[in-house]
């Protein structure tokens, strides 16, 4: 079982070098954001936002606001420093314990899902924080096999459970969301749905 204290320590230690070590394909990120409903005027909740790796992409799409949340104080600090814009707010906290001051149009969990110890609870929490008709996406910018291999090679076994099979994840979505996107291929992984 993942201990959230271990997750905080793991990501705090890596925060300073996170951006330099980032592996990213812009074309894949754009597909993920298109599928995730990230369009002009939406209010985005970025869960486990890290150093704000998607914040620039959201701004390019003219979103109304971004609320990023990360359990790692160092990740949240760096994200806040990088993006001082008025329409970006970064919270250091546990998304499952945080009361937000609004509901969101879009919730994005990008490159972070395997680090949550209770996936069903996370999905339920995010459903509560989305408007009716809002969209949740769980996505990775590489294949499930590559993510799992990467996590085993970076000594992340204490803070990851392996990436859930996309059909299993879609079942966790079903009580709250109409799932209309399930992708798991050599380039990416994404499960997304609209809140009922």
């Amino acid at each position: 079982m993942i201990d959230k204290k271990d997750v905080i320590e793991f990501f705090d230690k890596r925060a300073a070098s996170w951006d330099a070590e980032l592996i990213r394909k812009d074309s894949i990120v754009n597909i993920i954001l298109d599928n995730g409903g990230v369009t002009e005027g939406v209010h985005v909740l970025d869960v486990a936002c890290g150093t704000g790796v998607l914040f620039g992409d959201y701004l390019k799409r003219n979103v109304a606001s971004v609320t990023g949340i990360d359990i790692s104080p160092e990740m949240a600090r760096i994200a806040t420093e990088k993006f001082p814009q008025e329409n970006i707010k970064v919270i250091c906290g546990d998304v499952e314990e945080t009361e937000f001051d609004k509901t969101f149009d879009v919730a994005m969990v990008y490159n972070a899902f395997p680090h949550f110890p209770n996936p069903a609870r996370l999905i339920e929490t995010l459903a509560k924080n989305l408007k009716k008709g809002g969209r949740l996406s769980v996505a990775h910018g590489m294949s499930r096999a590559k993510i799992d291999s990467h996590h085993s090679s970076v000594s992340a076994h204490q803070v990851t459970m392996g990436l859930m099979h996309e059909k299993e994840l879609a079942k966790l979505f079903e009580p709250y969301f109409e799932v209309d996107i399930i992708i798991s291929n050599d380039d990416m992984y994404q499960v997304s749905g609209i809140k009922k």
Side-chain angles (χ1 to χ4, degrees):
M1 188 65 168
I2 297 170
D3 184 327
K4 289 183 180 180
K5 287 190 207 106
D6 291 338
V7 174
I8 293 167
E9 188 180 328
F10 181 87
F11 286 102
D12 270 356
K13 281 183 184 167
R14 285 157 180 80
S17 60
W18 195 254
D19 289 351
E21 294 172 10
L22 195 63
I23 301 164
R24 147 183 187 133
K25 278 192 200 161
D26 287 352
S27 58
I28 298 300
V29 169
N30 282 321
I31 292 167
I32 287 168
L33 296 180
D34 287 347
N35 290 345
V38 179
T39 56
E40 187 171 346
V42 299
H43 296 275
V44 178
L45 175 61
D46 187 327
V47 179
C49 65
T51 58
V53 294
L54 292 181
F55 289 6
D57 301 284
Y58 299 141
L59 292 174
K60 281 183 202 154
R61 289 169 177 247
N62 295 314
V63 301
S65 73
V66 177
T67 301
I69 184 164
D70 202 286
I71 202 167
S72 157
E74 277 303 295
M75 290 285 192
R77 182 187 64 74
I78 292 168
T80 302
E81 283 177 8
K82 280 169 55 184
F83 294 95
Q85 289 87 340
E86 272 184 35
N87 63 339
I88 293 185
K89 174 182 178 181
V90 179
I91 299 166
C92 179
D94 181 342
V95 71
E96 293 172 357
E97 310 294 336
T98 301
E99 293 286 326
F100 295 97
D101 58 5
K102 63 182 173 191
T103 53
F104 300 90
D105 303 299
V106 170
M108 180 67 69
V109 185
Y110 176 70
N111 287 359
F113 191 70
H115 304 294
F116 286 89
N118 188 337
R121 181 169 181 224
L122 176 66
I123 302 301
E124 180 184 6
T125 299
L126 296 179
K128 289 176 187 165
N129 287 298
L130 279 166
K131 295 173 183 167
K132 186 172 169 51
R135 179 176 283 280
L136 171 62
S137 281
V138 172
H140 282 268
M142 57 177 71
S143 71
R144 192 157 59 91
K146 282 183 190 156
I147 286 287
D148 288 344
S149 170
H150 172 72
H151 283 153
S152 65
S153 69
V154 294
S155 305
H157 58 275
Q158 277 188 296
V159 296
T160 186
M161 296 193 308
L163 187 53
M164 186 179 284
H165 190 283
E166 60 279 6
K167 288 183 179 166
E168 196 181 334
L169 179 54
K171 281 190 183 135
L172 289 185
F173 271 54
E174 280 172 8
Y176 320 99
F177 298 92
E178 293 289 344
V179 177
D180 57 354
I181 293 167
I182 301 175
I183 301 169
S184 184
N185 59 34
D186 289 343
D187 297 314
M188 63 177 280
Y189 172 103
Q190 186 169 23
V191 175
S192 186
I194 294 171
K195 185 176 172 182
K196 295 176 185 175

